[in-house]
């Protein structure tokens, strides 16, 4: 049985993308078997030596997401650094109500299974300005990252 890798808040990690390219993210919160991560807005790299924290930290991350911690624990996402995490201002997450089929946003919390506060109705076009509510995995996070990189002209 493979040894579980220990990780902590502030750990910076590599996300394998496609064609031997990599992206970089950081752990902002830990909640039981899930992590809240930010993924940096940067041109994908081939080697860790191409990564410059100071450059990427100056730009707003391209993805914020709750996901399961399996990719960190099993070493699929390699930890390369640790950077202090200041207080995290949780983003708004969108969801579609099962009853009225309308789209809403609600403020995230440090509990991966909860949002709080008033639900705010948004238009279908506005959902792309928010992260989807829910918990992803390494595949869904990678796919969202690749999509956002393409939209930003970085991949």
């Amino acid at each position: 049985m493979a040894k579980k890798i220990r990780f902590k808040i502030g750990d910076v990690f590599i996300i394998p993308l496609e064609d031997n390219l990599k992206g970089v993210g950081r752990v902002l919160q830990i909640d039981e078997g899930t992590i809240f991560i930010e993924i940096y807005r940067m041109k994908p790299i081939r080697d860790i030596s191409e990564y410059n924290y100071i450059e990427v930290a100056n730009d707003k991350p391209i993805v914020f997401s709750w996901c399961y911690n399996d990719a960190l624990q099993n070493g699929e996402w390699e930890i390369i650094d640790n950077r202090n995490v200041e207080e995290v201002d949780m983003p708004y997450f969108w969801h579609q109500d099962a009853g009225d089929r309308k789209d809403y946003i609600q403020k995230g919390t440090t509990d991966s299974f909860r949002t709080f506060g008033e639900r705010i109705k948004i238009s279908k076009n506005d959902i792309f300005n928010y992260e989807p509510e829910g918990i992803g995995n390494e595949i869904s996070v990678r796919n969202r990252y690749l999509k956002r990189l393409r939209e930003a002209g970085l991949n």
Side-chain angles (χ1 to χ4, degrees):
M1 185 169 187
K3 181 180 174 187
K4 288 184 178 179
I5 295 171
R6 298 179 138 225
F7 59 89
K8 57 191 173 291
I9 291 175
D11 280 348
V12 177
F13 55 89
I14 295 290
I15 300 172
L17 299 174
E18 53 192 13
D19 300 326
N20 288 330
L21 294 173
K22 301 166 181 66
V24 180
R26 180 171 65 148
V27 177
L28 300 178
Q29 296 282 332
I30 299 172
D31 181 36
E32 298 183 27
T34 61
I35 52 178
F36 183 66
I37 60 174
E38 65 181 1
I39 304 176
Y40 298 123
R41 177 185 199 85
M42 58 183 273
K43 190 136 181 78
I45 58 175
R46 292 202 178 276
D47 188 77
I48 295 171
S49 64
E50 299 173 53
Y51 162 71
N52 181 334
Y53 178 77
I54 294 178
E55 283 180 22
V56 299
N58 286 330
D59 210 351
K60 182 181 177 201
I62 201 164
V63 172
F64 288 99
S65 182
W66 278 106
C67 65
Y68 294 104
N69 64 18
D70 298 335
L72 280 176
Q73 275 191 338
N74 67 24
E76 185 176 336
W77 291 352
E78 178 188 357
I79 298 169
I80 60 167
D81 195 7
N82 186 281
R83 296 292 174 151
N84 187 42
V85 174
E86 302 295 325
E87 185 177 334
V88 178
D89 181 22
M90 296 301 284
Y92 282 84
F93 293 96
W94 77 269
H95 70 276
Q96 186 177 74
D97 186 276
D100 67 11
R101 308 292 295 161
K102 293 186 168 89
D103 298 307
Y104 295 90
I105 57 171
Q106 207 166 8
K107 185 79 166 165
T109 70
T110 56
D111 178 339
S112 59
F113 296 96
R114 299 195 191 286
T115 53
F116 81 98
E118 178 186 354
R119 284 188 337 162
I120 302 167
K121 186 177 163 191
I122 59 172
S123 73
K124 185 58 97 182
N125 291 336
D126 285 340
I127 66 173
F128 303 106
N129 297 324
Y130 302 95
E131 299 295 338
E133 185 177 273
I135 302 169
N137 63 17
E138 61 274 13
I139 296 166
S140 64
V141 168
R142 183 197 68 219
N143 291 344
R144 186 174 325 139
Y145 190 24
L146 285 168
K147 182 178 187 248
R148 297 270 174 86
L149 287 171
R150 287 184 186 111
E151 291 168 352
L154 294 170
N155 188 10

